[in-house]
Amino acid sequence: MASEFNKTVSTRYHMYNSLFLNLPYTGIYRTGTLLPLLQQACETGFEKGKDPLSIIKKFFADFTPQASREEQFNLLFNLIQYVERQVVLFDSIEDAAFDEINDLHGKGTLSALMLRAQSEGVEEALRQKLEDFSVRVVLTAHPTQFYPGSVLAIINDLELAIRENRLEDINLLLRQLGKTAFINKEKPTPFDEAASLSWFLENVFYPVIPGIVHKIMTGLSVKLEEWNNFDLIKIGFWPGGDRDGNPFVTHETTIQVAQHLQETLLKCYHRDLRWLKRRLTFKGVDHIIARAESKVYPIAYGNGYGEIYHHPDELLNDLFEAREVLINDHRGLFLELLDSFILKVKIFGFYFASMDIRQDSRKHAQVWEACLAKLQSKNKKLKNFDKLSEREKIDTILSLNFKPASLKFDDDFVTELIESISVIGQIQEQNGVEGCHRYVISNCQSALDVIRVYQLAKLILGKEEELTLDIVPLFETIEDLANCESVMKTLYSIPEYREHLERRGKKQTIMLGFSDGTKDGGYLRANWSIFKAKENLTRIAREEGFIAVFFDGRGGPPARGGGNTHDFYASLGDTIEDKEVQITIQGQTISSNFGKAVSCRYNLEQLLSAGIENSVFQTLDPLQEKEKALLDSLADEGHQAYRELKQHPKFVPYLEKITPLVYFGDTNIGSRPVKRNSGSLKFEDLRAIPFVSSWAQMKQNIPGFYGVGAAIRELKSQGKLRELKILFKESLFFRTLLSNSMMSLTKSYYPATAYLAKDKDFGEFWKKMHNEYKLSREMILEVSGLTELMENTPVNRDSVKLRERIVLPLITVQQYALQNLRDLEDRDKPFEKHLRKLVLRCMFGIINAARNSA
């Protein structure tokens, strides 16, 4: 497959890149000639142990000796623009070759799954599993996508032109790319982020998801009227509902986004109905389809005129009426077109994607404090509320009956949070219950945190005893993951909450955060803590008669729970509940993994099959106690090593003064701030994305591997190397854990920052990180038996290597700028603004090239 990658991607890239570098752009005609020379200068310079400042100075001396300082900066900016566009070119070529470098009928695909089920005689088991299994992909607005809409459109067209080898069109699109701005002039609003992600809903998920369901139905010989699981693949949506640390999301935004989602979907329906009108022109059918089109139009385009459908069932009733006439009177002509549309309405309803509301637990405590203060005059018992035990506080809150909206608050935030819950009811009325039925509690640390939201929502939204809302605790830190079992035990012991779960299908959704877990406890401890938490939460839920549904907050890079998601979910045994697979998809992971129909279909099938395989084929042996003890020891050692680094006095100063962390707030790529609170930089306030991305910019990738080497070395010293090697061979979980860390190591490049080894303030700290990098690389190779990192995934390895080579000039220029800024010479002080801009501009290409931010 590696040679296939070189043939289909690498060779094409070098061919089209040579064309690209010779395009005639006004004023920058020499840039295309100089860029390969800079590339060579960077590679040669780092090989000789030179620092970025020396490399760039020598490059100027060799190739632009007469250039003024201003001209030198202009050249660097032009070079950055070229590299940014080289990354786009490479993305487009790789996307165009997706079905050539990936086996669309191989491991993890539905074709392979159904063929295997047939050959092993377990089709009935597969059919039963599919009756209530579900995959939920939740799109988030986390800011790791740097391409504006105009560039995304060019990428889409360029991929098609490359796929069809249309050289003239490729040439024109590359020229267009060269003249199109890559940078947003202003920060997007939360609504802008939602509208941007709606493009993927409309153009990719809308045709792909029904296609997958239809493929399964056909493969299992199930008719439309016999199929009941229309929740097999669902799309979740965070833009406009995620309030955690985003001060710009308001209840008005939430309603606006919900309306936009419905209008986007109904426009899709309207287009399909117009197409159906062109085909279903038969007596008794034509007027039904015409009526459906006329009743969908006002909702789609929001003009408020004419009769409309108020519920998808009303539309479905008309469609099934047309279906009956079509079968009885017209021999089912074009029935497959009508059935295809019915399937879409069954899947997407009138909401398209299900919005989640998310807020920090401390904010709910603030609202209850305000409510109790208002209620104290009528209820004297509430004056001693703070002195009560947790269970007494829970019982007290559950006993209260009042209308929060009727209380007058001085704090605008309290009023806004109450409004943010109130709009859930409005969305459910407008888009259906599925349009917004989950409330995620960030920083959840107690059962009280859950009950605060439950009771507040019940007081605002509840109708008699019914509350059509799932309360989802999010456990993120290592401490929270360790305590989550006791939190859930307490919740299950509360009669009123138990009754609520009974009414909600006996399911308790629990979110587990990979990002903050890794930031808090390091790579090994976070991943193993989440595995153990899932086992414990599964066990106690089953004991209490409930089903635990796990919602994984995963980012793109391995440091945030990314990497090979198929192998991760396929590696979980029957000790972890597998009724559903739920994950967040963020930033450029959305466009790279789900941005085209072919990649979206492939990756959704991978998630489906990963969640199904264990139940149907039962080929996975659960981890034995001895193996768990080994992983416990490994995680403990890794955690200790990471904690020593995190507690180092230079850790936060290094992030603040050496990495580009402080520049993330100026990128205009997302509406969220870099940290949760204003004021001086504190580790606990750092958001996971800028934290991980800062290490990625430095090509150090600390969160993706630090502590792995130290942990393996310690266990090796205890004589357990052979056990680790056996575990790597026999445990898919452990193999995936180390394989994803290999990716972080492969994307690291310590020569770019080796100059810091001589820094008087941070030299020893840099050496500490570099030593662990070398140790981790050595230990992982020894345990895995591989001769090089990612040797077992050659296509991914070759892709990473070529991407890293493309952006090496950007890495060098960014470090050059950071070096200058830290020790600003008199001659450079007038150009401080230029240097800061260099740091910022290099960030775009570096992150886009990584595709998963690390």
Side-chain angles (χ1 to χ4, degrees):
M1 291 297 284
S3 60
E4 186 66 29
F5 178 89
N6 289 331
K7 181 177 69 176
T8 58
V9 178
S10 181
T11 301
R12 282 186 197 172
Y13 169 73
H14 290 299
M15 181 176 67
Y16 292 135
N17 186 45
S18 63
L19 171 72
F20 184 50
L21 290 175
N22 287 300
L23 290 177
Y25 295 126
T26 306
I28 58 170
Y29 67 95
R30 290 190 63 206
T31 311
T33 306
L34 290 173
L35 183 54
L37 297 174
L38 176 60
Q39 174 92 44
Q40 187 176 8
C42 294
E43 291 174 354
T44 304
F46 286 128
E47 283 174 8
K48 294 179 178 179
K50 293 186 177 180
D51 65 289
L53 192 63
S54 302
I55 291 171
I56 298 299
K57 282 184 176 180
K58 187 175 188 307
F59 172 75
F60 286 144
D62 289 346
F63 300 108
T64 59
Q66 305 302 318
S68 66
R69 199 80 178 101
E70 185 74 39
E71 288 170 334
Q72 288 178 348
F73 278 112
N74 287 338
L75 175 60
L76 290 178
F77 284 118
N78 289 335
L79 289 165
I80 290 168
Q81 288 179 317
Y82 256 95
V83 177
E84 286 175 335
R85 285 150 180 81
Q86 283 181 315
V87 171
V88 170
L89 174 62
F90 185 80
D91 282 349
S92 300
I93 291 169
E94 196 167 57
D95 288 343
F98 188 89
D99 48 358
E100 296 178 68
I101 59 177
N102 292 281
D103 187 352
L104 301 187
H105 301 287
K107 177 188 173 185
T109 65
L110 287 177
S111 298
L113 183 74
M114 288 191 284
L115 186 64
R116 183 180 174 190
Q118 186 179 19
S119 65
E120 296 186 18
V122 292
E123 286 176 290
E124 184 56 34
L126 176 60
R127 186 180 283 105
Q128 288 179 9
K129 178 66 178 178
L130 288 167
E131 284 179 0
D132 60 358
F133 180 72
S134 178
V135 165
R136 182 186 291 253
V137 173
V138 180
L139 309 183
T140 78
H142 291 335
T144 54
Q145 174 56 268
F146 283 81
Y147 296 135
S150 56
V151 175
L152 285 171
I154 296 172
I155 292 173
N156 188 64
D157 296 341
L158 185 59
E159 184 259 336
L160 290 173
I162 291 169
R163 185 181 288 271
E164 297 169 9
N165 292 313
R166 290 185 272 116
L167 192 59
E168 186 175 341
D169 288 345
I170 293 168
N171 187 37
L172 285 170
L173 288 165
L174 289 175
R175 293 177 70 176
Q176 180 188 359
L177 199 64
K179 291 180 172 289
T180 302
F182 270 44
I183 311 301
N184 292 317
K185 292 181 180 179
E186 297 177 353
K187 280 181 177 290
T189 65
F191 181 79
D192 292 335
E193 292 170 334
S196 176
L197 288 185
S198 293
W199 186 93
F200 296 100
L201 291 175
E202 180 179 358
N203 294 284
V204 184
F205 290 104
Y206 180 73
V208 166
I209 292 175
I212 291 174
V213 176
H214 182 264
K215 182 177 180 180
I216 291 172
M217 290 164 56
T218 303
L220 296 176
S221 301
V222 179
K223 297 177 182 177
L224 176 65
E225 56 269 30
E226 298 170 348
W227 183 263
N228 295 314
N229 186 8
F230 297 101
D231 290 334
L232 182 64
I233 305 175
K234 307 300 285 184
I235 304 299
F237 208 74
W238 273 19
D242 179 11
R243 289 164 167 72
D244 179 28
N246 189 338
F248 306 111
V249 173
T250 64
H251 70 279
E252 289 99 340
T253 307
T254 306
I255 281 287
Q256 189 182 12
V257 170
Q259 185 174 346
H260 177 75
L261 288 171
Q262 187 182 76
E263 289 177 355
T264 302
L265 174 64
L266 271 291
K267 285 174 184 174
C268 294
Y269 285 175
H270 185 256
R271 283 197 298 270
D272 281 359
L273 283 165
R274 292 188 65 181
W275 173 249
L276 281 172
K277 267 181 68 176
R278 294 178 62 179
R279 291 292 170 266
L280 302 182
T281 53
F282 322 130
K283 181 181 178 181
V285 179
D286 53 353
H287 75 279
I288 299 175
I289 302 302
R291 181 175 70 217
E293 185 208 0
S294 68
K295 292 173 78 171
V296 162
Y297 183 85
I299 320 173
Y301 295 96
N303 61 14
Y305 299 104
E307 189 180 356
I308 65 169
Y309 291 114
H310 295 94
H311 192 278
D313 284 349
E314 296 173 4
L315 170 58
L316 287 167
N317 288 338
D318 281 349
L319 295 175
F320 275 107
E321 182 185 344
R323 189 177 192 270
E324 188 174 350
V325 175
L326 198 61
I327 292 170
N328 294 336
D329 298 350
H330 305 287
R331 297 186 177 182
L333 187 58
F334 294 127
L335 180 62
E336 69 280 3
L337 294 180
L338 182 57
D339 280 355
S340 176
F341 182 59
I342 289 173
L343 189 58
K344 289 175 180 175
V345 179
K346 285 276 193 179
I347 291 169
F348 297 115
F350 274 7
Y351 63 95
F352 216 165
S354 185
M355 292 185 71
D356 287 349
I357 307 299
R358 184 169 78 128
Q359 183 56 280
D360 190 285
S361 63
R362 291 163 289 194
K363 303 297 185 183
H364 309 127
Q366 181 182 336
V367 170
W368 271 104
E369 188 178 326
C371 289
L372 293 173
K374 291 286 184 181
L375 297 170
Q376 278 178 4
S377 60
K378 295 180 180 179
N379 190 338
K380 305 281 190 197
K381 294 178 182 178
L382 298 179
K383 289 186 177 180
N384 296 318
F385 182 82
D386 289 339
K387 297 178 182 178
L388 300 176
S389 67
E390 184 191 24
R391 191 55 183 258
E392 288 171 332
K393 287 178 179 178
I394 287 172
D395 291 340
T396 301
I397 284 176
L398 289 174
S399 70
L400 296 174
N401 187 10
F402 65 98
K403 294 186 182 299
S406 68
L407 303 177
K408 302 295 182 184
F409 298 102
D410 298 327
D411 188 339
D412 290 340
F413 172 79
V414 174
T415 303
E416 169 58 31
L417 193 144
I418 290 170
E419 289 280 8
S420 74
I421 294 177
S422 180
V423 298
I424 295 172
Q426 296 177 46
I427 295 170
Q428 291 188 353
E429 187 72 26
Q430 171 187 299
N431 292 17
V433 171
E434 283 291 311
C436 187
H437 67 97
R438 307 202 312 179
Y439 197 111
V440 181
I441 307 170
S442 298
N443 190 43
C444 186
Q445 298 181 334
S446 68
L448 179 60
D449 286 338
V450 176
I451 295 302
R452 282 192 184 113
V453 174
Y454 165 76
Q455 183 66 355
L456 197 59
K458 189 179 172 188
L459 292 170
I460 297 169
L461 303 171
K463 297 174 183 177
E464 296 180 356
E465 292 301 314
E466 186 179 19
L467 175 64
T468 53
L469 186 69
D470 298 316
I471 314 299
V472 183
L474 166 53
F475 302 109
E476 301 176 88
T477 66
I478 301 303
E479 185 178 354
D480 291 345
L481 289 167
N483 294 336
C484 63
E485 181 182 356
S486 63
V487 171
M488 297 312 300
K489 272 185 177 179
T490 303
L491 270 179
Y492 294 143
S493 72
I494 300 169
E496 189 167 342
Y497 191 75
R498 287 183 66 89
E499 291 168 11
H500 170 67
L501 290 182
E502 293 279 352
R503 289 189 291 269
R504 298 299 294 163
K506 296 188 176 183
K507 290 183 179 181
Q508 172 63 63
T509 304
I510 302 166
M511 189 173 180
L512 301 165
F514 283 80
S515 301
D516 284 290
T518 304
K519 179 170 80 79
D520 181 47
Y523 180 73
L524 288 174
R525 169 50 70 201
N527 279 272
W528 184 235
S529 292
I530 288 172
F531 184 96
K532 290 201 300 181
K534 283 186 174 182
E535 282 198 323
N536 291 332
L537 293 170
T538 296
R539 175 178 48 77
I540 63 170
R542 288 173 178 173
E543 288 171 358
E544 296 290 340
F546 299 116
I547 299 168
V549 174
F550 297 114
F551 175 25
D552 292 328
R554 303 171 72 93
R560 297 182 49 236
N564 190 322
T565 50
H566 173 272
D567 282 353
F568 174 84
Y569 286 107
S571 71
L572 306 180
D574 59 7
T575 56
I576 292 175
E577 199 66 76
D578 64 350
K579 286 282 186 183
E580 300 184 25
V581 169
Q582 299 190 7
I583 59 170
T584 54
I585 305 292
Q586 315 175 351
Q588 65 270 60
T589 309
I590 297 173
S591 54
S592 62
N593 288 2
F594 300 91
K596 302 290 188 298
V598 63
S599 60
C600 180
R601 187 179 301 110
Y602 178 82
N603 284 299
L604 285 176
E605 288 188 11
Q606 291 285 317
L607 284 172
L608 272 171
S609 65
I612 290 169
E613 279 181 3
N614 291 335
S615 296
V616 175
F617 303 109
Q618 298 178 343
T619 54
L620 187 71
D621 293 326
L623 288 168
Q624 302 301 309
E625 290 306 315
K626 186 178 180 181
E627 295 170 324
K628 289 181 180 180
L630 193 64
L631 285 164
D632 262 332
S633 299
L634 201 66
D636 286 343
E637 294 298 336
H639 187 203
Q640 182 177 334
Y642 178 75
R643 189 170 59 237
E644 286 176 4
L645 181 76
K646 192 176 73 169
Q647 293 173 349
H648 195 286
K650 296 296 183 182
F651 188 84
V652 173
Y654 185 91
L655 277 168
E656 189 171 21
K657 297 177 181 179
I658 300 296
T659 77
L661 175 73
V662 295
Y663 295 88
F664 274 84
D666 301 326
T667 54
N668 289 342
I669 55 168
S671 64
R672 292 156 45 114
V674 172
K675 53 194 180 79
R676 284 181 168 84
N677 296 308
S678 57
S680 60
L681 182 67
K682 294 179 181 177
F683 177 80
E684 56 270 21
D685 290 335
L686 275 177
R687 290 195 166 280
I689 290 171
F691 174 76
V692 171
S693 296
S694 295
W695 294 115
Q697 292 283 306
M698 298 294 287
K699 288 295 151 187
Q700 292 172 331
N701 288 336
I702 292 302
F705 73 84
Y706 199 92
V708 176
I712 295 174
R713 181 178 62 185
E714 175 56 31
L715 265 66
K716 179 183 177 180
S717 71
Q718 297 173 16
K720 296 180 180 179
L721 180 62
R722 183 174 176 275
E723 293 176 50
L724 287 172
K725 287 183 174 183
I726 293 172
L727 188 63
F728 182 85
K729 184 178 179 181
E730 297 183 353
S731 167
L732 182 58
F733 173 81
F734 185 52
R735 198 157 60 247
T736 304
L737 193 65
L738 290 195
S739 294
N740 286 340
S741 195
M742 283 190 219
M743 184 185 291
S744 290
L745 289 164
T746 304
K747 290 182 178 181
S748 300
Y749 188 69
Y750 276 79
T753 55
Y755 67 92
L756 289 167
K758 300 175 184 176
D759 189 275
K760 59 180 173 45
D761 292 324
F762 296 100
E764 291 306 312
F765 184 72
W766 183 90
K767 289 175 186 175
K768 184 178 180 66
M769 294 187 293
H770 185 227
N771 287 337
E772 179 61 24
Y773 161 78
K774 291 187 293 183
L775 180 63
S776 295
R777 188 179 183 281
E778 177 190 344
M779 292 291 99
I780 286 179
L781 289 177
E782 187 169 2
V783 167
S784 66
L786 302 176
T787 57
E788 67 170 310
L789 296 174
M790 298 182 71
E791 183 184 5
N792 52 343
T793 53
V795 171
N796 290 340
R797 176 200 61 200
D798 292 348
S799 175
V800 167
K801 284 185 175 181
L802 186 48
R803 286 176 179 278
E804 294 302 313
R805 187 168 187 270
I806 290 169
V807 294
L808 185 60
L810 297 190
I811 295 164
T812 311
V813 170
Q814 187 184 68
Q815 288 298 323
Y816 160 81
L818 289 169
Q819 277 183 277
N820 273 304
L821 285 167
R822 283 196 295 273
D823 191 18
L824 207 59
E825 297 178 1
D826 289 340
R827 79 183 195 108
D828 278 333
K829 284 183 179 177
F831 298 103
E832 182 177 358
K833 189 175 179 181
H834 288 65
L835 290 165
R836 294 178 67 86
K837 188 178 177 183
L838 276 180
V839 175
L840 199 63
R841 288 303 309 276
C842 288
M843 290 173 72
F844 299 112
I846 294 171
I847 287 187
N848 282 334
R851 272 212 161 178
N852 63 13
S853 306

